PDB file of all heavy atoms in Angstrom:
ATOM      1  N   ARG A  19     -11.855 -15.951 -17.438  1.00  0.00           N
ATOM      2  CA  ARG A  19     -10.830 -14.933 -17.697  1.00  0.00           C
ATOM      3  C   ARG A  19      -9.926 -15.351 -18.843  1.00  0.00           C
ATOM      4  O   ARG A  19      -9.586 -14.559 -19.715  1.00  0.00           O
ATOM      5  CB  ARG A  19      -9.997 -14.706 -16.437  1.00  0.00           C
ATOM      6  CG  ARG A  19     -10.660 -13.879 -15.385  1.00  0.00           C
ATOM      7  CD  ARG A  19      -9.716 -12.813 -14.841  1.00  0.00           C
ATOM      8  NE  ARG A  19      -8.388 -13.320 -14.549  1.00  0.00           N
ATOM      9  CZ  ARG A  19      -7.984 -13.680 -13.330  1.00  0.00           C
ATOM     10  NH1 ARG A  19      -8.808 -13.584 -12.313  1.00  0.00           N
ATOM     11  NH2 ARG A  19      -6.773 -14.109 -13.142  1.00  0.00           N
ATOM     12  N   ILE A  22     -11.785 -14.969 -22.120  1.00  0.00           N
ATOM     13  CA  ILE A  22     -11.907 -13.563 -22.534  1.00  0.00           C
ATOM     14  C   ILE A  22     -10.581 -13.061 -23.095  1.00  0.00           C
ATOM     15  O   ILE A  22     -10.533 -12.436 -24.150  1.00  0.00           O
ATOM     16  CB  ILE A  22     -12.348 -12.690 -21.340  1.00  0.00           C
ATOM     17  CG1 ILE A  22     -13.791 -13.023 -20.965  1.00  0.00           C
ATOM     18  CG2 ILE A  22     -12.215 -11.214 -21.667  1.00  0.00           C
ATOM     19  CD1 ILE A  22     -14.312 -12.241 -19.785  1.00  0.00           C
ATOM     20  N   TRP A 135      15.241 -13.391   3.764  1.00  0.00           N
ATOM     21  CA  TRP A 135      15.299 -13.949   5.116  1.00  0.00           C
ATOM     22  C   TRP A 135      16.364 -13.235   5.931  1.00  0.00           C
ATOM     23  O   TRP A 135      16.163 -12.878   7.076  1.00  0.00           O
ATOM     24  CB  TRP A 135      15.588 -15.444   5.012  1.00  0.00           C
ATOM     25  CG  TRP A 135      15.713 -16.156   6.321  1.00  0.00           C
ATOM     26  CD1 TRP A 135      16.850 -16.658   6.868  1.00  0.00           C
ATOM     27  CD2 TRP A 135      14.655 -16.458   7.238  1.00  0.00           C
ATOM     28  NE1 TRP A 135      16.570 -17.250   8.074  1.00  0.00           N
ATOM     29  CE2 TRP A 135      15.233 -17.149   8.321  1.00  0.00           C
ATOM     30  CE3 TRP A 135      13.284 -16.214   7.242  1.00  0.00           C
ATOM     31  CZ2 TRP A 135      14.494 -17.599   9.407  1.00  0.00           C
ATOM     32  CZ3 TRP A 135      12.550 -16.659   8.324  1.00  0.00           C
ATOM     33  CH2 TRP A 135      13.153 -17.343   9.384  1.00  0.00           C
ATOM     34  N   ALA A 151      20.405  -4.305 -10.818  1.00  0.00           N
ATOM     35  CA  ALA A 151      21.116  -3.923 -12.040  1.00  0.00           C
ATOM     36  C   ALA A 151      20.735  -4.854 -13.186  1.00  0.00           C
ATOM     37  O   ALA A 151      20.420  -4.404 -14.291  1.00  0.00           O
ATOM     38  CB  ALA A 151      22.615  -3.949 -11.798  1.00  0.00           C
ATOM     39  N   TRP A 159      21.196  -6.476 -24.473  1.00  0.00           N
ATOM     40  CA  TRP A 159      22.462  -5.770 -24.257  1.00  0.00           C
ATOM     41  C   TRP A 159      23.428  -6.655 -23.464  1.00  0.00           C
ATOM     42  O   TRP A 159      24.611  -6.748 -23.769  1.00  0.00           O
ATOM     43  CB  TRP A 159      22.227  -4.457 -23.528  1.00  0.00           C
ATOM     44  CG  TRP A 159      23.474  -3.666 -23.386  1.00  0.00           C
ATOM     45  CD1 TRP A 159      24.193  -3.097 -24.413  1.00  0.00           C
ATOM     46  CD2 TRP A 159      24.193  -3.400 -22.185  1.00  0.00           C
ATOM     47  NE1 TRP A 159      25.303  -2.478 -23.903  1.00  0.00           N
ATOM     48  CE2 TRP A 159      25.336  -2.646 -22.538  1.00  0.00           C
ATOM     49  CE3 TRP A 159      23.989  -3.709 -20.849  1.00  0.00           C
ATOM     50  CZ2 TRP A 159      26.267  -2.206 -21.605  1.00  0.00           C
ATOM     51  CZ3 TRP A 159      24.906  -3.262 -19.916  1.00  0.00           C
ATOM     52  CH2 TRP A 159      26.036  -2.518 -20.287  1.00  0.00           C
ATOM     53  N   THR A 170      34.228 -12.717 -28.593  1.00  0.00           N
ATOM     54  CA  THR A 170      35.198 -11.939 -29.363  1.00  0.00           C
ATOM     55  C   THR A 170      36.554 -11.860 -28.655  1.00  0.00           C
ATOM     56  O   THR A 170      37.585 -12.163 -29.257  1.00  0.00           O
ATOM     57  CB  THR A 170      34.658 -10.519 -29.604  1.00  0.00           C
ATOM     58  OG1 THR A 170      33.312 -10.612 -30.031  1.00  0.00           O
ATOM     59  CG2 THR A 170      35.495  -9.802 -30.641  1.00  0.00           C
ATOM     60  N   GLY A 267       6.121 -11.622 -19.667  1.00  0.00           N
ATOM     61  CA  GLY A 267       6.385 -10.594 -20.663  1.00  0.00           C
ATOM     62  C   GLY A 267       7.875 -10.330 -20.761  1.00  0.00           C
ATOM     63  O   GLY A 267       8.438 -10.182 -21.840  1.00  0.00           O
ATOM     64  N   ARG A 296       8.076  -6.857 -42.770  1.00  0.00           N
ATOM     65  CA  ARG A 296       6.666  -6.523 -42.554  1.00  0.00           C
ATOM     66  C   ARG A 296       5.788  -7.704 -42.964  1.00  0.00           C
ATOM     67  O   ARG A 296       4.820  -7.567 -43.694  1.00  0.00           O
ATOM     68  CB  ARG A 296       6.269  -5.270 -43.329  1.00  0.00           C
ATOM     69  CG  ARG A 296       6.983  -4.024 -42.847  1.00  0.00           C
ATOM     70  CD  ARG A 296       6.461  -3.596 -41.481  1.00  0.00           C
ATOM     71  NE  ARG A 296       7.074  -2.369 -40.976  1.00  0.00           N
ATOM     72  CZ  ARG A 296       8.132  -2.319 -40.162  1.00  0.00           C
ATOM     73  NH1 ARG A 296       8.693  -3.439 -39.742  1.00  0.00           N
ATOM     74  NH2 ARG A 296       8.618  -1.183 -39.734  1.00  0.00           N
ATOM     75  N   TYR A 298       3.222  -9.603 -42.009  1.00  0.00           N
ATOM     76  CA  TYR A 298       2.164  -9.543 -40.996  1.00  0.00           C
ATOM     77  C   TYR A 298       1.583 -10.891 -40.593  1.00  0.00           C
ATOM     78  O   TYR A 298       1.366 -11.139 -39.404  1.00  0.00           O
ATOM     79  CB  TYR A 298       1.059  -8.583 -41.418  1.00  0.00           C
ATOM     80  CG  TYR A 298       1.570  -7.184 -41.489  1.00  0.00           C
ATOM     81  CD1 TYR A 298       1.718  -6.537 -42.706  1.00  0.00           C
ATOM     82  CD2 TYR A 298       1.970  -6.528 -40.333  1.00  0.00           C
ATOM     83  CE1 TYR A 298       2.246  -5.261 -42.770  1.00  0.00           C
ATOM     84  CE2 TYR A 298       2.502  -5.247 -40.383  1.00  0.00           C
ATOM     85  CZ  TYR A 298       2.633  -4.619 -41.606  1.00  0.00           C
ATOM     86  OH  TYR A 298       3.162  -3.377 -41.655  1.00  0.00           O
TER      87      TYR A 298
ATOM     88  N   ARG B 129     -12.424  -6.612 -16.437  1.00  0.00           N
ATOM     89  CA  ARG B 129     -12.123  -7.623 -17.466  1.00  0.00           C
ATOM     90  C   ARG B 129     -11.133  -7.057 -18.462  1.00  0.00           C
ATOM     91  O   ARG B 129     -10.174  -7.717 -18.858  1.00  0.00           O
ATOM     92  CB  ARG B 129     -13.413  -8.028 -18.175  1.00  0.00           C
ATOM     93  CG  ARG B 129     -14.330  -8.783 -17.248  1.00  0.00           C
ATOM     94  CD  ARG B 129     -15.074  -9.892 -17.949  1.00  0.00           C
ATOM     95  NE  ARG B 129     -15.666 -10.746 -16.922  1.00  0.00           N
ATOM     96  CZ  ARG B 129     -16.950 -11.024 -16.858  1.00  0.00           C
ATOM     97  NH1 ARG B 129     -17.781 -10.573 -17.787  1.00  0.00           N
ATOM     98  NH2 ARG B 129     -17.416 -11.784 -15.906  1.00  0.00           N
ATOM     99  N   ASP B 132      -7.831  -6.957 -16.835  1.00  0.00           N
ATOM    100  CA  ASP B 132      -7.234  -8.294 -16.785  1.00  0.00           C
ATOM    101  C   ASP B 132      -6.479  -8.609 -18.065  1.00  0.00           C
ATOM    102  O   ASP B 132      -5.395  -9.173 -18.042  1.00  0.00           O
ATOM    103  CB  ASP B 132      -8.324  -9.354 -16.587  1.00  0.00           C
ATOM    104  CG  ASP B 132      -8.630  -9.547 -15.119  1.00  0.00           C
ATOM    105  OD1 ASP B 132      -7.795  -9.142 -14.293  1.00  0.00           O
ATOM    106  OD2 ASP B 132      -9.701 -10.084 -14.808  1.00  0.00           O
ATOM    107  N   PRO B 138       1.641  -8.943 -21.873  1.00  0.00           N
ATOM    108  CA  PRO B 138       2.721  -7.990 -21.646  1.00  0.00           C
ATOM    109  C   PRO B 138       2.702  -6.870 -22.685  1.00  0.00           C
ATOM    110  O   PRO B 138       2.400  -7.101 -23.855  1.00  0.00           O
ATOM    111  CB  PRO B 138       3.977  -8.828 -21.809  1.00  0.00           C
ATOM    112  CG  PRO B 138       3.533 -10.237 -21.795  1.00  0.00           C
ATOM    113  CD  PRO B 138       2.109 -10.276 -22.203  1.00  0.00           C
ATOM    114  N   GLU B 152       2.223   1.113 -40.649  1.00  0.00           N
ATOM    115  CA  GLU B 152       1.902   0.852 -42.052  1.00  0.00           C
ATOM    116  C   GLU B 152       0.704   1.696 -42.473  1.00  0.00           C
ATOM    117  O   GLU B 152       0.664   2.262 -43.559  1.00  0.00           O
ATOM    118  CB  GLU B 152       1.568  -0.639 -42.225  1.00  0.00           C
ATOM    119  CG  GLU B 152       1.175  -1.049 -43.622  1.00  0.00           C
ATOM    120  CD  GLU B 152       2.312  -1.740 -44.355  1.00  0.00           C
ATOM    121  OE1 GLU B 152       3.169  -2.311 -43.660  1.00  0.00           O
ATOM    122  OE2 GLU B 152       2.334  -1.680 -45.592  1.00  0.00           O
ATOM    123  N   ARG B 156       5.219   6.514 -42.868  1.00  0.00           N
ATOM    124  CA  ARG B 156       6.356   6.892 -42.030  1.00  0.00           C
ATOM    125  C   ARG B 156       6.845   8.294 -42.325  1.00  0.00           C
ATOM    126  O   ARG B 156       7.956   8.665 -41.960  1.00  0.00           O
ATOM    127  CB  ARG B 156       7.502   5.902 -42.255  1.00  0.00           C
ATOM    128  CG  ARG B 156       7.188   4.532 -41.715  1.00  0.00           C
ATOM    129  CD  ARG B 156       8.430   3.679 -41.676  1.00  0.00           C
ATOM    130  NE  ARG B 156       8.269   2.642 -40.663  1.00  0.00           N
ATOM    131  CZ  ARG B 156       9.252   2.261 -39.864  1.00  0.00           C
ATOM    132  NH1 ARG B 156      10.434   2.816 -39.938  1.00  0.00           N
ATOM    133  NH2 ARG B 156       9.035   1.331 -38.987  1.00  0.00           N
ATOM    134  N   ALA B 269      29.475  -6.188 -31.691  1.00  0.00           N
ATOM    135  CA  ALA B 269      29.818  -7.201 -30.699  1.00  0.00           C
ATOM    136  C   ALA B 269      30.910  -8.129 -31.227  1.00  0.00           C
ATOM    137  O   ALA B 269      31.884  -8.414 -30.539  1.00  0.00           O
ATOM    138  CB  ALA B 269      28.579  -7.997 -30.304  1.00  0.00           C
ATOM    139  N   LEU B 277      28.604  -0.278 -28.370  1.00  0.00           N
ATOM    140  CA  LEU B 277      27.430  -0.893 -27.736  1.00  0.00           C
ATOM    141  C   LEU B 277      27.409  -0.626 -26.233  1.00  0.00           C
ATOM    142  O   LEU B 277      26.356  -0.668 -25.601  1.00  0.00           O
ATOM    143  CB  LEU B 277      27.377  -2.391 -28.036  1.00  0.00           C
ATOM    144  CG  LEU B 277      28.507  -3.303 -27.545  1.00  0.00           C
ATOM    145  CD1 LEU B 277      28.220  -3.801 -26.141  1.00  0.00           C
ATOM    146  CD2 LEU B 277      28.625  -4.495 -28.479  1.00  0.00           C
ATOM    147  N   ARG B 307      10.027  -5.776  10.635  1.00  0.00           N
ATOM    148  CA  ARG B 307      10.429  -7.165  10.789  1.00  0.00           C
ATOM    149  C   ARG B 307      10.196  -7.602  12.232  1.00  0.00           C
ATOM    150  O   ARG B 307      10.485  -6.859  13.167  1.00  0.00           O
ATOM    151  CB  ARG B 307      11.902  -7.233  10.425  1.00  0.00           C
ATOM    152  CG  ARG B 307      12.517  -8.560  10.532  1.00  0.00           C
ATOM    153  CD  ARG B 307      14.008  -8.438  10.245  1.00  0.00           C
ATOM    154  NE  ARG B 307      14.571  -9.746  10.408  1.00  0.00           N
ATOM    155  CZ  ARG B 307      14.635 -10.633   9.441  1.00  0.00           C
ATOM    156  NH1 ARG B 307      14.221 -10.313   8.247  1.00  0.00           N
ATOM    157  NH2 ARG B 307      15.120 -11.836   9.650  1.00  0.00           N
TER     158      ARG B 307
END
Side-chain angles (χ1 to χ4, degrees):
Chain A
R19 283 226 315 262
I22 291 179
W135 179 251
W159 184 66
T170 314
R296 295 289 182 266
Y298 295 110
Chain B
R129 292 217 166 124
D132 274 342
E152 178 102 26
R156 291 193 155 219
L277 62 88
R307 179 185 178 88

